[in-house]
């Protein structure tokens, strides 16, 4: 394509090799571009100083280097943080926000690896939350051992997610029904189920649209609970949910790159016909992947109720869709998803106070948009070069007619 | 002939793709009334050059003169306006439309009213003139492959093409159809048309072409040499740069025990219509059974049923004294039953995975590759390195995704992988389709070597020369049945051709 007004032309060439660092580079470039585009929108929305706004978001989401330094000093000397909650407060909140989107991100990423478009992580997460609540509030006695209670909640949550993921899985494996439609629609069924149980139905206490607070044994232990021995933990909300997510990410990484099952998933994802040729059972793998994907999303639901300490009608929708963004930004690499979810968690925390409230979602959307766009740079090389003149030699046009 | 004017002339054509010079200052021309063959291995730049002539690619440098006029082609429409028409390997026809409707497809006249009966008359007249027997009212899907090709030729004539480019036109035809095509081509040249004939089959080139131009790695190695004065061996050397053995050395082998037997085997095709209507045959160890037939007569389905990719609907198949059926664990017997599928990249390999990962496609769950639930990466790499070395697979590394490999190297990798399992039966479907002379030779040698090590081989191919030179026995398939069997040595090619076309021939 010739660039008008210059003697240069632009050429788009397919890249013959995709070095590993390109993925990371294009993700970083995507984020930078997204911040620029977002800055323009922020300006249009009335922010006089978009860069200042970003600094504020970063500070709210992660804290400042000075705060961190003070925090680590306090941690080493086992003293109080001179800046109070400012030391580790932001990053602690960010980790809390990152946990569910890491889990839903991993759920999406697992399915996407096999080119199964599970966009129902949201619904699977709701089911996981419901099942974990049932265990915490209605099945197990209040004085159950805390770790046993949390483990049972996690098992119930993942089983519910698994069952909910198997529905579209079964429809896809046996009847070849498009999983995009079924997983998407089942989200709404899950929203309504939750509404039935906690808003109108049997689990609601009075008019509160809530199950009421969970027994303490059914909640994540938070850092602040250990403030007696480590003073700096006072007021910090971070809980083991993020560790659960990191654990699942490591297991998924092992499955993908080391195990025979992961090999099968990658073969199916790249070429299902070759998989069939190699004797790999496709329907069985669809069920396994959709089931496990749902189970991971279900864990996200368990994590949320254990963190919120109650289940109510305001249980947040959309974390499953943020998972889609996390999965793509991580380029379907489970370990990269850890970083991406912490980045996004910070964005969610940092933009909480910004008005208008849509800014957070806007930035997320712009980032996804730009990152998917930079896929072009990943796949193709764009070259700017001097337009080669096509040699025309009119003098010698030979013909004997 | 030599005093004929040039119908077109390409000079100094340069076209680059990332990493390769597809055409490096190529000169090519064709005289009025001439068949000019363009030869070359895969990736030599033949198709690129012809796509430039047909208006699909813009060259980076060079000039194009058609009918004495300097032209710049921006699109295939431009090319056809200048009288250049290309018939691609895959026909560009609408199956549900009639022959006449396909003629006017893409033309911008008539604008509003389609006078089909007038078109039909014109087509019939053209068909008569060039001996291209097709009913203009027939729907494309009703026609055989040979007839569809005639429609393509008619379409180009109808649009006023004076220069016709044919990309491997004989690949899908029976010997009789090839002869008919050659008659048409001669008729066309006698009426002043020029034909560029792209082929891998040197026999045909020598038979039909007036002159031959050979491309190797984007450069001309022989320009416009007379076809009459050339031998196959000379042309092959020009194409690949070394001697090629055409006569495959085959040891005499006494066939061993029966490895594969089918009795009245039946199966449906993708449209749930019967594709195999009772195939009964035997295949012995150390024997190559060639299966001939025009595409679509059940060969693909036969290979798929025998390898577990398709369910049979009746009959029996016995492999190594064990009946195969729905209960068979195909992954388990996949090592002893090798399958070279028809489509290397869509079925036989996983394009995005590496050479190493592709080399374990059928044994990832077996020792020594499998270790507990995991894959032993060191064992996988060892296997890949061994295959790459032993079978001389040209790849940057074993970590390279196989989509980067050339067709020949990919096919060698698939063969290497299948052979590494130590198969007693090998089903090879069109193993050399689209491969160049050098790679074809390598694949043939590997098949012969398997035969000598005692494997039973079923070779399904449309290339009769290949079948005759490799096989011990030949079976001809027509409409889902084996209509004839004969020893390959001394088989009558005319008779095979008739059987392929469905004509009853007394044995």
């Amino acid at each position: 394509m010739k660039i008008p007004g210059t003697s240069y032309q632009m050429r788009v060439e397919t890249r013959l090799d995709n070095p590993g660092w390109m993925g990371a580079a294009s993700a970083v470039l995507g984020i930078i571009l997204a911040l620029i585009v977002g800055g323009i929108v922020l300006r249009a929305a009335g922010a006089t100083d978009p860069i200042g706004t970003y600094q504020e978001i970063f500070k709210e989401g992660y804290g400042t280097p000075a705060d961190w330094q003070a925090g680590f000093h306090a941690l080493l000397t086992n003293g109080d943080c001179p800046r109070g909650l400012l030391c580790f407060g932001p990053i602690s909140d960010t980790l809390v926000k990152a946990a569910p989107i890491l889990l839903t991100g991993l759920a999406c990423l697992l399915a996407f690896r096999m080119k199964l478009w599970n966009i129902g992580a949201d619904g699977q997460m709701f089911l996981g939350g419901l099942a974990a609540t049932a265990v915490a509030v209605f099945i197990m006695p209040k004085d159950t051992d805390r770790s046993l209670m949390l483990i049972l909640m996690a098992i119930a949550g993942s089983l519910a997610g698994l069952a909910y993921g198997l529905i579209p899985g079964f429809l896809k494996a046996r009847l070849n029904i498009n999983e995009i439609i079924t997983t998407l629609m089942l989200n709404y069924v899950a929203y309504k189920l939750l509404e039935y149980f906690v808003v109108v139905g049997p689990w609601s206490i009075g008019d509160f649209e809530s199950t009421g607070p969970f027994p303490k044994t059914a909640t994540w232990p938070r850092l602040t609970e250990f403030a007696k021995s480590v003073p700096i933990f006072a007021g910090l909300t971070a809980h083991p949910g993020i560790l659960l997510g990191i654990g699942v990410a490591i297991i998924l990484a092992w499955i993908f790159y080391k195990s025979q099952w992961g090999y099968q998933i990658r073969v199916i994802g790249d070429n299902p016909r070759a998989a069939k040729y190699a004797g790999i059972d496709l329907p069985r793998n669809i069920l396994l992947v959709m089931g496990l994907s749902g189970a991971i999303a279900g864990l996200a639901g368990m994590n949320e109720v254990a963190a919120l300490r109650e289940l109510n009608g305001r249980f947040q929708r959309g974390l499953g869709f943020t998972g889609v963004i996390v999965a793509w930004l991580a380029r379907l690499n489970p370990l990269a998803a850890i970083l991406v979810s912490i980045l996004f968690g910070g964005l969610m925390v940092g933009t909480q106070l910004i008005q208008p409230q849509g800014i957070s979602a806007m930035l997320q959307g712009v980032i996804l948009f730009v990152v998917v766009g930079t896929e072009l740079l990943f796949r193709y090389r764009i070259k700017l070069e001097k337009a080669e003149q096509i040699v025309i030699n009119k003098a010698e046009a030979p013909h004997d007619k | 002939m030599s005093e004929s004017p040039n119908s077109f002339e390409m000079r100094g054509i340069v076209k680059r793709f990332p990493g390769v010079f597809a055409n490096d200052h190529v000169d090519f021309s064709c005289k009025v009334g001439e068949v000019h063959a363009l030869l070359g291995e895969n990736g030599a730049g033949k198709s690129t050059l012809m796509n430039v002539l047909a208006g699909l690619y813009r060259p980076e440098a060079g000039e194009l003169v058609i009918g004495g006029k300097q032209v710049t082609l921006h699109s295939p429409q431009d090319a056809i306006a200048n009288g250049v028409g290309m018939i691609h390997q895959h026909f560009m026809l609408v199956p549900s439309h009639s022959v006449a409707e396909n003629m006017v497809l893409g033309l911008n006249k008539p604008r509003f009213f389609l006078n089909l009966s007038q078109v039909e008359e014109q087509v019939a007249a053209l068909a008569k003139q060039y001996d291209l027997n097709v009913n203009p009212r027939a729907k494309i899907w009703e026609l055989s492959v040979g007839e569809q090709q005639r429609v393509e030729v008619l379409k180009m004539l109808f649009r006023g093409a004076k220069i016709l480019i044919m990309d491997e036109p004989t690949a899908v035809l029976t010997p009789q159809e090839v002869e008919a095509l050659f008659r048409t081509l001669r008729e066309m040249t006698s009426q002043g048309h020029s034909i560029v004939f792209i082929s891998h089959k040197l026999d045909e080139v020598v038979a039909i072409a007036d002159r031959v131009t050979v491309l190797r790695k984007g450069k001309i190695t022989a320009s416009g040499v007379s076809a009459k004065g050339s031998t196959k061996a000379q042309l092959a050397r020009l194409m690949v740069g070394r001697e090629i053995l055409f006569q495959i050395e085959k040891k005499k082998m006494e066939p061993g025990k029966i490895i594969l037997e089918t009795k009245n085997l039946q199966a449906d095709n993708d449209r749930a219509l019967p594709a195999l209507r009772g195939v009964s045959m035997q295949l012995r160890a150390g024997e190559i059974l060639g299966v001939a037939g025009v595409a679509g007569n059940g060969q693909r389905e036969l290979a798929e049923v025998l390898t577990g990719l398709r369910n049979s609907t009746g009959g029996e198949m016995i492999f190594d004294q064990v009946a195969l059926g729905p209960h068979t664990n195909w992954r388990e017997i996949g090592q002893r039953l090798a399958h070279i599928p028809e489509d290397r990249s869509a079925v036989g390999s996983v394009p995005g995975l590496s050479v190493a990962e592709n080399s374990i496609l059928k044994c990832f769950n077996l020792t020594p590759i499998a270790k507990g639930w995991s894959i032993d990466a060191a064992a996988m790499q060892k296997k890949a390195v061994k295959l790459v070395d032993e079978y001389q697979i040209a790849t940057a590394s074993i970590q390279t995704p196989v989509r980067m490999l050339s067709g020949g190297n990919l096919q060698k990798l698939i063969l290497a992988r299948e052979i590494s399992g130590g198969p007693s039966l090998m089903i090879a479907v069109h193993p050399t389709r689209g491969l160049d002379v050098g790679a074809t030779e390598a694949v043939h040698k590997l098949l012969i070597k398997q035969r000598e090590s005692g494997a039973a081989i079923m070779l399904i191919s449309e290339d009769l020369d290949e079948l005759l030179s490799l096989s011990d026995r030949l079976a001809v398939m027509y409409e889902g049945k084996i209509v004839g069997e004969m020893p390959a040595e001394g088989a009558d090619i005319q008779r095979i051709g008739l059987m392929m076309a469905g004509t009853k021939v007394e044995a």
Side-chain angles (χ1 to χ4, degrees):
Chain A
M1 192 168 63
K2 195 156 184 304
I3 298 166
T6 66
S7 62
Y8 287 90
Q9 61 180 0
M10 204 168 81
R11 277 160 58 103
V12 180
E13 294 181 346
T14 315
R15 279 184 194 279
L16 294 178
D17 49 343
N18 307 106
W21 58 266
M22 292 263 338
S26 71
V28 170
L29 184 70
I31 289 164
I32 292 171
L33 279 173
L35 290 180
I36 293 170
V37 175
I40 296 167
V41 180
L42 278 175
R43 190 92 171 79
T48 44
D49 175 19
I51 293 171
T53 310
Y54 281 137
Q55 279 170 345
E56 198 60 32
I57 291 173
F58 196 84
K59 206 174 107 194
E60 293 284 330
Y62 305 101
T64 63
D67 295 336
W68 279 61
Q69 209 183 347
F72 278 116
H73 182 73
L75 193 62
L76 290 174
T77 56
N78 210 19
D80 279 323
C81 180
R83 298 173 181 235
L85 260 179
L86 277 179
C87 286
F88 289 136
I91 189 70
S92 163
D93 287 353
T94 290
L95 291 179
V96 169
K97 287 280 183 196
I101 58 174
L102 173 55
L103 284 163
T104 54
L106 292 170
C108 294
L109 174 156
L110 167 65
F112 293 175
R113 271 273 166 163
M114 215 172 91
K115 297 215 169 76
L116 276 176
W117 308 115
N118 176 18
I119 48 172
D122 223 28
Q124 290 144 16
M125 178 178 144
F126 267 57
L127 265 282
L130 280 171
T133 304
V135 168
V137 183
F138 302 102
I139 297 174
M140 297 304 289
K142 281 186 186 346
D143 51 359
T144 313
D145 177 70
R146 195 174 192 177
S147 26
L148 177 69
M149 179 73 118
L150 287 168
I151 289 169
L152 288 175
M153 285 167 70
I155 291 173
S158 49
L159 283 179
L162 179 131
Y164 212 56
L166 280 181
I167 299 171
F170 180 83
L171 292 172
K172 171 84 177 177
R174 295 273 163 248
L175 304 168
N176 200 22
I177 292 174
N178 188 325
E179 75 281 4
I180 302 179
I181 311 288
T182 48
T183 53
L184 178 69
M185 299 317 279
L186 281 172
N187 284 335
Y188 299 96
V189 177
Y191 301 155
K192 288 292 164 193
L193 268 176
L194 184 123
E195 218 171 285
Y196 165 73
F197 276 108
V198 277
V199 180
V200 294
W203 291 2
S204 171
I205 298 177
D207 289 334
F208 288 108
E209 301 190 352
S210 164
T211 58
F214 283 8
K216 194 172 183 229
T217 53
T219 62
W220 281 131
R222 291 169 186 272
L223 283 181
T224 187
E225 290 175 30
F226 303 99
K228 276 209 181 82
S229 41
V230 188
I232 194 170
F233 284 173
L236 294 186
T237 54
H239 59 67
I242 188 75
L243 297 179
L244 182 68
I246 291 172
V248 173
I250 292 170
I251 293 170
L252 278 188
W254 182 84
I255 289 177
F256 283 157
Y257 303 114
K258 300 279 178 210
S259 79
Q260 287 166 39
W261 186 42
Y263 178 79
Q264 294 182 45
I265 292 174
R266 285 185 295 142
V267 168
I268 297 170
D270 202 67
N271 187 354
R273 288 179 69 193
K276 208 177 158 208
Y277 160 79
I280 293 170
D281 189 340
L282 276 155
R284 180 167 167 269
N285 276 298
I286 291 173
L287 285 175
L288 282 173
V289 164
M290 278 306 294
L292 184 58
S293 175
I296 297 172
L299 268 184
M302 172 269 170
N303 168 78
E304 277 302 89
V305 293
L308 294 168
R309 292 171 246 172
E310 67 168 326
L311 184 64
N312 59 39
R314 293 177 307 282
F315 194 70
Q316 196 181 350
R317 295 180 184 183
L319 293 174
F321 294 109
T322 309
V324 176
I325 306 181
V326 170
W328 275 124
L329 258 185
R331 294 201 185 275
L332 308 190
N333 179 329
L335 299 179
I338 300 173
L339 284 176
V340 171
S341 63
I342 292 173
L343 176 92
F344 259 70
L347 193 66
M348 288 158 90
V349 172
T351 49
Q352 262 168 357
L353 298 176
I354 292 185
Q355 294 293 335
Q357 280 187 333
I359 293 295
S360 177
M362 181 276 287
L363 277 179
Q364 286 178 29
V366 171
I367 289 179
L368 178 69
F369 205 79
V370 178
V371 167
V372 172
T374 53
E375 186 83 17
L376 181 82
L377 297 177
F378 188 55
R379 293 251 169 107
Y380 304 96
R381 186 194 313 268
I382 295 176
K383 262 191 176 170
L384 203 61
E385 58 182 27
K386 212 154 172 84
E388 224 173 304
Q389 217 58 47
I390 293 184
V391 187
I392 294 174
N393 196 347
K394 279 198 176 117
E396 272 183 52
H399 60 106
D400 320 11
K401 249 182 182 171
Chain B
M1 194 61 68
S2 57
E3 59 269 28
S4 294
N6 279 334
S7 64
F8 72 87
E9 186 160 346
M10 305 174 85
R11 270 195 263 141
I13 300 292
V14 175
K15 179 76 194 173
R16 271 176 302 187
F17 290 112
V20 276
F21 249 115
N23 287 154
D24 187 358
H25 298 91
V26 172
D27 299 327
F28 185 64
S29 65
C30 194
K31 291 185 174 126
V32 170
E34 174 189 56
V35 178
H36 195 154
L38 188 56
L39 277 174
E41 293 191 282
N42 288 319
K46 302 175 304 244
S47 298
T48 307
L49 188 66
M50 287 304 105
N51 282 331
V52 167
L53 182 58
L56 285 159
Y57 291 157
R58 303 269 305 273
E60 280 147 43
E63 60 177 299
L64 179 55
V65 177
I66 296 176
K69 263 201 335 257
Q70 173 95 39
V71 292
T72 312
L73 303 178
H74 296 276
S75 67
Q77 280 74 30
D78 272 2
I80 197 81
N82 281 290
V84 179
M86 182 160 177
I87 297 176
H88 296 265
Q89 248 172 309
H90 303 281
F91 300 148
M92 312 283 179
L93 297 169
V94 183
S96 56
H97 284 190
S98 76
V99 171
E101 283 168 326
N102 269 281
M103 295 292 145
V104 290
L105 184 76
L107 293 183
N108 55 5
K109 59 182 186 176
R111 257 270 129 100
F112 296 110
F113 297 105
L114 201 58
N115 191 346
L116 261 187
S117 56
Q118 196 193 330
V119 174
E120 281 163 9
E121 273 169 39
Q122 286 174 358
V123 171
L126 270 176
K128 202 165 169 224
Q129 187 186 348
Y130 292 99
D131 195 14
L132 289 161
N133 186 20
V134 187
N135 172 9
R137 287 198 186 85
K139 302 269 191 247
I140 298 299
W141 61 265
E142 298 170 331
L143 305 177
S144 73
V145 181
E147 287 172 311
Q148 291 186 21
Q149 188 174 55
R150 280 178 237 154
V151 176
E152 281 280 16
V153 176
L154 275 174
K155 191 166 90 181
M156 291 306 154
L157 292 171
F158 183 80
R159 292 175 184 192
K162 295 294 283 177
I163 300 160
L164 197 64
I165 306 162
M166 302 191 85
D167 192 359
E168 298 213 32
T170 61
V172 292
L173 303 181
T174 63
Q176 281 83 1
E177 286 173 322
V178 171
E179 271 176 31
L181 174 69
F182 283 5
R183 274 201 302 277
T184 301
L185 295 186
R186 290 199 188 98
E187 180 59 33
M188 287 168 68
T189 51
S190 74
Q191 308 245 0
H193 291 274
S194 309
I195 290 154
V196 181
F197 188 88
I198 302 176
S199 180
H200 280 134
K201 296 185 186 172
L202 299 174
D203 287 315
E204 289 171 357
V205 168
V206 173
I208 186 72
D210 298 303
R211 287 194 300 158
V212 181
T213 290
V214 184
L215 273 173
R216 172 145 47 97
K217 290 178 184 157
K219 287 186 178 153
I220 297 277
T221 53
S223 178
V225 298
S226 160
K228 300 287 172 285
S230 308
T231 64
K232 267 168 71 180
Q234 283 171 340
L235 294 175
R237 193 170 51 237
L238 288 167
M239 279 165 73
V240 295
R242 64 182 169 82
E243 296 290 338
I244 293 289
L245 293 174
F246 284 100
Q247 222 44 53
I248 297 155
E249 299 223 0
K250 215 166 62 173
K251 265 193 231 154
K252 198 117 183 96
M253 298 261 308
E254 211 44 57
K257 62 172 182 160
I258 296 174
I259 297 287
L260 176 74
E261 180 167 20
T262 69
K263 289 176 190 160
N264 194 28
L265 192 62
Q266 291 161 37
D268 290 347
N269 64 13
D270 292 336
R271 282 185 274 176
L273 299 169
L276 297 183
R277 304 160 190 257
V279 172
S280 302
M281 52 114 191
Q282 288 180 345
L283 184 50
R284 290 171 183 274
E287 178 186 51
I288 298 182
L289 173 69
V291 178
V294 178
N297 276 292
Q299 300 98 311
R300 188 159 75 95
E301 286 80 4
L302 179 63
E304 287 178 353
V305 168
L306 290 174
T307 50
L309 292 178
R310 185 180 291 275
N311 293 325
S312 67
T313 53
E316 284 177 69
M317 38 182 176
I318 301 146
F319 169 49
D320 250 355
Q321 287 150 4
V322 182
L324 300 179
H327 55 272
T328 307
N329 184 345
W330 292 98
R331 206 155 80 186
E332 203 172 89
I333 67 168
Q335 292 292 299
R336 288 184 295 133
L337 201 169
H339 180 199
I340 315 298
E342 184 175 357
D343 197 330
R344 307 184 255 290
S345 48
V347 178
S349 64
V350 191
L353 297 195
S354 69
V355 171
E357 286 166 324
N358 269 281
S359 71
I360 60 164
L361 189 59
K362 279 174 99 179
C363 63
F364 67 88
N365 57 338
L366 305 171
T367 46
I369 306 298
K371 209 166 70 178
W373 286 1
S374 65
I375 282 174
D376 186 342
M380 170 175 84
Q381 274 156 19
K382 206 174 127 198
K383 177 172 174 141
V385 167
K386 187 167 164 261
L387 294 186
V388 166
D389 287 348
E390 207 174 312
Y391 294 88
Q392 290 160 14
I393 298 160
T395 170
S397 82
I398 58 165
Q399 304 304 340
T400 310
V402 297
R403 70 189 146 85
M404 305 288 182
L405 297 189
S406 71
N409 282 302
L410 183 57
Q411 189 72 318
K412 278 199 264 182
L413 175 64
I414 292 170
L415 268 161
R417 180 185 71 213
E418 296 299 304
I419 291 171
S420 70
S424 52
L425 173 63
M426 181 177 257
I427 313 254
V429 189
H430 308 312
T432 60
R433 179 189 277 175
L435 297 189
D436 53 53
V437 186
T440 298
E441 189 193 23
V443 169
H444 284 172
K445 279 183 176 163
L446 285 174
L447 290 176
I448 291 289
K449 209 173 146 206
Q450 276 304 294
R451 167 185 176 265
E452 276 163 17
S453 65
I457 297 167
M458 180 187 283
L459 172 65
I460 296 176
S461 176
E462 279 160 7
D463 185 341
L464 271 182
D465 296 330
E466 172 175 274
L467 287 172
L468 286 170
S469 62
L470 287 179
S471 314
D472 298 295
R473 274 192 304 140
L474 268 181
V476 182
M477 273 190 93
Y478 179 71
E479 294 199 331
K481 277 187 185 155
I482 289 179
V483 292
E485 257 191 60
M486 68 209 78
E489 212 176 312
D492 176 4
I493 200 157
Q494 290 300 325
R495 212 174 121 226
I496 299 169
L498 290 173
M499 284 178 166
M500 282 165 71
T503 312
K504 284 247 183 325
V505 181
E506 290 309 310

